[in-house]
């Protein structure tokens, strides 16, 4: 699994977050844990495969926002250790 963090300019409210989340879900069908924060200007999600940054940039731009940067890392599930 891959965790992707996007720095996005232009999100001003919860509705903006919803628009960006919708774009991610449409472009990345296997995206899970899609979350945006307009106050931090970031969106994160987890997917099985890496996502093309150019496709993301174009799709986000179509909704009126700007993808400023993209960072990916291996996603590790948190183990609670409850026995």
């Amino acid at each position: 699994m891959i965790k992707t963090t996007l720095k996005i300019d232009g999100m001003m409210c919860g509705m903006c977050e919803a628009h960006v989340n919708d774009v991610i879900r449409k472009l990345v069908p296997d995206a899970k844990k899609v979350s945006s924060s307009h106050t931090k200007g970031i969106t994160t999600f987890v997917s099985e495969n890496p996502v093309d940054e150019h496709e993301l940039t174009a799709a986000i731009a179509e909704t009126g926002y700007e993808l400023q940067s993209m960072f990916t890392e291996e996603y590790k599930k948190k183990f609670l250790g409850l026995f």
Side-chain angles (χ1 to χ4, degrees):
M1 298 289 282
I2 299 168
K3 179 180 179 182
T4 303
T5 303
L6 309 173
K7 177 76 174 149
I8 298 177
D9 186 43
M11 292 191 295
M12 301 295 196
C13 64
M15 206 57 190
C16 296
E17 295 171 356
H19 289 147
V20 172
N21 291 349
D22 288 345
V23 168
I24 300 300
R25 288 186 183 107
K26 286 179 186 172
L27 188 64
V28 187
D30 70 335
K32 295 174 178 41
K33 300 185 180 218
V34 181
S35 176
S36 293
S37 169
H38 70 278
T39 55
K40 294 178 182 177
I42 62 168
T43 297
T44 60
F45 63 93
V46 177
S47 61
E48 291 287 334
N49 300 304
V51 181
D52 183 87
E53 186 172 356
H54 297 294
E55 288 181 17
L56 269 178
T57 300
I60 290 171
E62 286 179 18
T63 60
Y65 308 102
E66 180 186 352
L67 176 60
Q68 295 179 321
S69 65
M70 180 172 132
F71 175 75
T72 59
E73 61 187 317
E74 182 181 348
Y75 175 75
K76 297 175 184 167
K77 277 190 172 179
K78 294 179 182 173
F79 179 68
L80 298 177
L82 301 175
F83 293 102

